[in-house]
Amino acid sequence: GAGVSQSPSNKVTEKGKDVELRCDPISGHTALYWYRQRLGQGLEFLIYFQGNSAPDKSGLPSDRFSAERTGESVSTLTIQRTQQEDSAVYLCASSPFLGAYEQYFGPGTRLTVT
Amino acid sequence: LAKTTQPISMDSYEGQEVNITCSHNNIATNDYITWYQQFPSQGPRFIIQGYKTKVTNEVASLFIPADRKSSTLSLPRVSLSDTAVYYCLVGLYNAGNMLTFGGGTRLMVKP
């Protein structure tokens, strides 16, 4: 069965450029989550969606980060004016409902800002 | 959300049983204990979840003492493919409380 997919798998960009990361959740999952994982570190929670609504954006690191979701489908995480400290793996997860203990993670997008 | 403490790393050999203990002294009454596994270059994968006593599934067992201030993930007869980072999470996960991953325990299984 189809799991969570993310694209691109790898992205190298120059400092100051904008990037858009995409997440396709498991069909029927109403909740979607974005995390960031720096090299050798644990996961840092960024934002969640219930349907296409993101009630709490306080986990986003700065106003250069934004996220959208279309209905209960695709989500995009956009980073404007990228900085070197944005380099990390960005992981997306989905779950059947918000707050489920079991979240299904995608493979991540490895972002490198040069 | 309750803070968790687990060993940074552990080594084991193929065929051995591995026990990873997580401390969560300030666990709340309604908190559940959840463990995830993460292989290199992959997203985390749910392993097991419990509230008290013992939970077992096809992958692992989770032992939780009566005071619930710690929990132990037990992996029977590990193989090289069990080399991964294991995360212990504690909390009541609902709208407002999201999964909080600490540094995890890096398990290295040797031949």
Side-chain angles (χ1 to χ4, degrees):
Chain A
V4 177
S5 61
Q6 294 185 244
S7 60
S9 55
N10 280 285
K11 176 72 176 178
V12 180
T13 189
E14 292 181 352
K15 177 182 173 181
K17 301 281 190 182
D18 297 353
V19 295
E20 194 171 274
L21 312 180
R22 176 186 169 110
C23 172
D24 282 90
I26 293 173
S27 177
H29 281 192
T30 62
L32 184 146
Y33 316 81
W34 283 98
Y35 296 83
R36 178 170 71 177
Q37 187 171 34
R38 292 200 165 101
L39 187 63
Q41 306 290 314
L43 278 71
E44 175 188 4
F45 170 74
L46 299 179
I47 192 169
Y48 74 86
F49 287 88
Q50 173 62 18
N52 62 4
S53 173
D56 183 4
K57 301 180 180 179
S58 62
L60 295 175
S62 75
D63 58 9
R64 297 184 294 103
F65 287 71
S66 63
E68 291 183 345
R69 188 180 184 194
T70 305
E72 295 184 352
S73 183
V74 174
S75 175
T76 56
L77 177 69
T78 302
I79 309 173
Q80 296 179 311
R81 305 180 302 282
T82 51
Q83 304 293 312
Q84 288 185 332
E85 63 262 26
D86 298 334
S87 294
V89 175
Y90 290 83
L91 289 156
C92 172
S94 70
S95 62
F97 56 90
L98 189 66
Y101 299 105
E102 185 168 1
Q103 293 185 7
Y104 297 81
F105 282 80
T109 294
R110 182 176 298 278
L111 175 65
T112 303
V113 181
T114 61
Chain B
L1 298 174
K3 177 178 168 55
T4 60
T5 302
Q6 48 183 130
I8 294 174
S9 65
M10 294 181 68
D11 289 343
S12 183
Y13 291 91
E14 283 191 291
Q16 289 188 334
E17 178 185 76
V18 171
N19 296 308
I20 305 174
T21 297
C22 178
S23 298
H24 28 80
N25 291 319
N26 60 341
I27 189 169
T29 302
N30 294 331
D31 285 347
Y32 279 74
I33 300 157
T34 310
W35 285 80
Y36 275 75
Q37 173 191 55
Q38 186 177 26
F39 295 115
S41 301
Q42 294 187 26
R45 181 176 74 108
F46 173 88
I47 300 177
I48 198 166
Q49 174 239 309
Y51 182 80
K52 62 180 180 180
T53 62
K54 177 183 175 182
V55 180
T56 297
N57 61 23
E58 65 278 7
V59 177
S61 294
L62 179 60
F63 297 92
I64 305 168
D67 66 5
R68 306 202 324 123
K69 293 184 182 300
S70 67
S71 58
T72 299
L73 176 73
S74 181
L75 305 173
R77 298 178 300 282
V78 295
S79 64
L80 296 176
S81 62
D82 292 316
T83 293
V85 178
Y86 293 83
Y87 296 96
C88 165
L89 295 82
V90 174
L92 177 63
Y93 304 111
N94 52 34
N97 286 331
M98 292 295 112
L99 293 180
T100 300
F101 289 79
T105 297
R106 191 171 300 272
L107 172 66
M108 174 69 72
V109 179
K110 303 176 181 178

